[in-house]
Amino acid sequence: MEIGTHTRLLGVMGHPVAHSKSPLMHNRALESQKLPYTYLAFDVRPEELPQAVNGMRALGARGWNVTIPHKVAIMALLDEVNDEARRIGAVNTVVNDGGKLIGMNTDGAGYLRSLEVETGLRLEEQRVLILGAGGAARGVAYALAQSGVQSVVIANRTVAKAEQLRSLLQHLTDVKAVPLAEIEKWIDDRTLIVNTTSVGMHPHVEETPIPGELLPEGAIVSDLIYNPMKTTLLRQAEGRGCVIHNGFGMFVHQGALAYEQWTGVQPPLDVMRQAVST
């Protein structure tokens, strides 16, 4: 599709976003369905987020994705946040509905679809350890707790932030908030370990959120990062006989859910996967 006066704007806001494959994935999907949109990446520093949101509104953008570090801060800048995103306390998708900016969250649903399909695990049997307590952690943790997992431990450098997330989940399952520095006390009995932080993401690919030797043998280790596909954490987990799961499937599924909200069209999942699998 050629860009013209009929073309509407979609995109992703984050800082940084140079690593993002969202433009490639969405533009391939849009081209395959001949839809009149184009999707761009916007590197927005935290202090410039209000201006960026106002700019997207003024330009009549149909919507955009929200990634690190804006998923929580953007909520106060929108006209409306749907019930699920408000309960989670984070937004990863914005839809412009006739000038009204509505915040949503497709992270949790996208993550669960990917996790179940790719690992075959039974969610109700899992004892979960979540590394991090930011916007991505909120969506994933809420979805896991709501799915009926046995228990959740949230480990974060700032315990107060982990406590905020614990309070969100406490009516759904047994949940504890602990300092990341004390992870050794809580990791041994965990069957599903989920890294929701950006530690290990391109270009800092040698970094890892926790020492690999702490990973329980045979656990499922899931990293929301998809660039690189196999982070240092996942390589270390593989070496300890763990089942590994990266963020690729979640990335595709959460993006597909957002795509459907913007376009009203069923997304071409195979095209989206193929676009970002190389």
Side-chain angles (χ1 to χ4, degrees):
M1 294 290 289
E2 291 186 2
I3 294 176
T5 55
H6 62 287
T7 307
R8 295 196 68 183
L9 179 63
L10 299 170
V12 56
M13 282 187 189
H15 182 68
V17 289
H19 67 285
S20 177
K21 295 186 178 181
S22 289
L24 177 61
M25 179 176 75
H26 284 286
N27 284 318
R28 288 273 180 86
L30 293 165
E31 288 167 11
S32 76
Q33 296 187 315
K34 295 180 169 54
L35 298 177
Y37 301 91
T38 191
Y39 187 109
L40 302 175
F42 301 99
D43 193 325
V44 177
R45 291 178 293 184
E47 65 271 20
E48 294 175 339
L49 185 61
Q51 297 98 302
V53 171
N54 286 336
M56 293 293 266
R57 185 198 299 271
L59 291 171
R62 171 59 176 151
W64 64 93
N65 289 127
V66 185
T67 188
I68 295 171
H70 304 315
K71 293 186 178 189
V72 177
I74 200 169
M75 294 177 68
L77 304 174
L78 303 175
D79 300 312
E80 184 179 315
V81 176
N82 73 6
D83 289 342
E84 183 175 11
R86 189 168 297 283
R87 285 193 297 269
I88 292 168
V91 160
N92 82 322
T93 300
V94 177
V95 175
N96 184 344
D97 184 8
K100 178 188 288 187
L101 300 183
I102 303 171
M104 305 175 180
N105 196 304
T106 65
D107 277 339
Y111 178 73
L112 288 190
R113 285 188 190 181
S114 169
L115 186 66
E116 291 179 292
V117 168
E118 294 176 34
T119 69
L121 86 174
R122 293 174 60 87
L123 287 165
E124 64 273 15
E125 297 174 356
Q126 304 308 310
R127 298 182 298 277
V128 183
L129 170 63
I130 294 177
L131 305 175
R138 284 175 169 264
V140 167
Y142 187 86
L144 285 168
Q146 199 172 41
S147 75
V149 297
Q150 290 184 15
S151 63
V152 176
V153 172
I154 305 155
N156 195 57
R157 285 180 300 178
T158 307
V159 183
K161 201 169 182 180
E163 282 287 353
Q164 290 175 0
L165 183 49
R166 185 197 67 80
S167 66
L168 170 71
L169 307 178
Q170 61 184 348
H171 68 290
L172 297 172
T173 190
D174 175 42
V175 57
K176 295 180 175 61
V178 305
L180 188 61
E182 297 179 9
I183 196 69
E184 289 183 68
K185 301 177 183 177
W186 302 96
I187 197 169
D188 284 349
D189 73 332
R190 300 292 96 182
T191 60
L192 172 61
I193 297 163
V194 186
N195 176 39
T196 70
T197 77
S198 60
V199 178
M201 185 172 70
H202 180 81
H204 306 292
V205 297
E206 298 307 317
E207 296 180 0
T208 183
I210 59 172
E213 61 268 20
L214 296 181
L215 297 170
E217 293 183 9
I220 298 168
V221 179
S222 176
D223 196 329
L224 301 196
I225 293 169
Y226 64 89
N227 187 9
M229 292 286 195
K230 190 179 290 186
T231 59
T232 296
L233 176 67
L234 293 185
R235 290 201 308 271
Q236 292 173 337
E238 202 170 40
R240 291 183 63 79
C242 298
V243 175
I244 65 171
H245 170 258
N246 65 24
F248 176 75
M250 173 187 175
F251 171 65
V252 172
H253 283 289
Q254 63 80 25
L257 290 167
Y259 183 101
E260 188 172 358
Q261 290 289 336
W262 297 323
T263 67
V265 174
Q266 194 70 25
L269 279 171
D270 287 346
V271 172
M272 298 175 87
R273 286 193 191 96
Q274 186 176 8
V276 293
S277 62
T278 56

